[in-house]
Amino acid sequence: PTLFSREDIAAAAALLPLVDAGSSDDSRLRTLVHTAELYGISSLRAVRAALRAARGIAALDGRVVVNDADVATAAALVLG
């Protein structure tokens, strides 16, 4: 079974440039940095990848703002 159709992915790709990871509120970024530190990851590349993943998750859900659940999912997928 397919989780996302081609149309879903195309819509998310079109929405992705508009997705805001919360630049005005850096608590989500701090959460990712702290999580990376807990896993012994010192590279900011991993944190950036997790932030990109969180944006992608939001876009797949049709939203333009990243929420805490997106960050948690991205942290588990990318950092954990």
Side-chain angles (χ1 to χ4, degrees), residues 55-75:
R55 290 178 63 238
I57 293 165
L60 281 168
D61 198 37
R63 291 179 284 106
V64 294
V65 177
V66 170
N67 63 30
D68 292 339
D70 301 329
V71 172
T73 301

Side-chain angles (χ1 to χ4, degrees), residues 8 12-13 18 21 23 25 27 32 36 38 40-41 53 63 66-67 70 73-74 76 78 80:
D8 293 335
L18 304 175
S23 57
D25 174 17
S27 66
L32 288 172
L38 289 175
I41 299 168
R63 291 179 284 106
V66 170
N67 63 30
D70 301 329
T73 301
V78 176

